[in-house]
Amino acid sequence: MQLRINGEMKQFAALATVAELVQALELVGKRVAVELNGEIVPRSQHAKAGLADGDELEIVVAVGGG
Amino acid sequence: MQDQLVIAGKAYNSRLLVGTGKYRDFEQTAQALDASGCDIVTVAIRRVNLGQNAGEPNLLDFLPQNRYTLLPNTAGCYSAEDAIRTLRLARELLDDHRLVKLEVLGDSGNLFPNVKETLKAAEVLVAEGFDVMVYTSDDPIIARELEQIGCCAIMPLASLIGSGMGILNPWNLKLIIEQSSVPVLVDAGVGTASDAAIAMELGCDGVLMNTAIAAAGNPVLMAHAMKLAVEAGRAAYCAERMPKRFYSAVPSSPSEGVISSRKP
């Protein structure tokens, strides 16, 4: 399936949920926040939020800034 | 001494807020924050690097959250929409965190704030329950509107972000300080310790800085200097300085009992 993540088109084997994507990206246990098609997906909902071909996601972290 | 800075109902001991950008590494960031004595530290929200994360250090691991209050910012946002979206993500990232720094820029060359977009974003964020500390120009009319919208702190620039030019218009800052009933913090433009002291002597409730510390030759020592400057400036403000006179006919030492009999 194809997903647009942080503006980049990425190819994945079928992923059912946001939690599976987080795992595929090796982000398990990291402090990240996920937005799916413009809506925030709370961490508690990662395992329930379903993914479909062509979904757009933003995945962010905290970095140094002033 | 109980002289705490209260923002959105929470009291902080330090009036110096410090950014976490531009340091050599996270160790230096942590050391500088420690030396500054700050309670509130700003962080930025950015897209995660895809595909090269394994083992990459994370800023949050270097910032003990029981020690620091994180202040996620919207640095790099040029529209109300992007700023709002960034802070919604920050709230999720930091577990329903409400205290945020709103900044909407208007020019990528000089980083001057776009106050129209800032006002728009502030309205939405306040309505969504965020405690909005807002970076703005030193225009007292805009500052008043931002306070009326419900921002919990007004943060006018002293001079342009990252410029180190110091306080260019103390009179505008004074107008904002006098009219505001929420804390006023200088954000951006401080270059060295005396700038921070002057801001506090003017009556600012606090100072937020990043580059002045991070771009110093010795950031950790400069962080210490800024701590002292903010404390000194605050104490001087509270102590109420003497009035300025062009000259004074009243010397500090007694006029009587001088051994000379000659008068000018």
Side-chain angles (χ1 to χ4, degrees), chain B residues 52-66:
Chain B
Q52 44 198 339
N53 305 289
E56 194 177 68
N58 184 323
L59 172 66
L60 294 183
D61 297 335
F62 289 80
L63 305 177
Q65 272 193 70
N66 51 5

Side-chain angles (χ1 to χ4, degrees), chain B residues 54 190 241:
Chain B
V190 164
R241 62 153 297 155

Side-chain angles (χ1 to χ4, degrees), chain B residues 74 76-88 101-106 113-126 128 130 132 146 149:
Chain B
T74 59
C77 291
Y78 287 84
S79 69
E81 191 193 346
D82 283 351
I84 293 163
R85 210 169 150 205
T86 298
L87 292 178
R88 285 176 183 155
K101 170 180 161 179
L102 171 64
E103 80 179 81
V104 187
L105 303 176
N114 180 330
V115 294
K116 272 170 71 181
E117 292 294 307
T118 303
L119 287 161
K120 252 198 273 179
E123 295 233 26
V124 174
L125 292 165
V126 168
E128 290 186 10
F130 285 93
V132 180
L146 288 164
I149 286 169

Side-chain angles (χ1 to χ4, degrees), chain A residues 18 34-41 49-52 55-58:
Chain A
V18 168
V34 180
E35 188 194 80
L36 171 59
N37 299 325
E39 298 290 329
I40 303 281
V41 184
L51 291 177
D55 277 349
E56 299 200 1
L57 295 108
E58 291 287 339

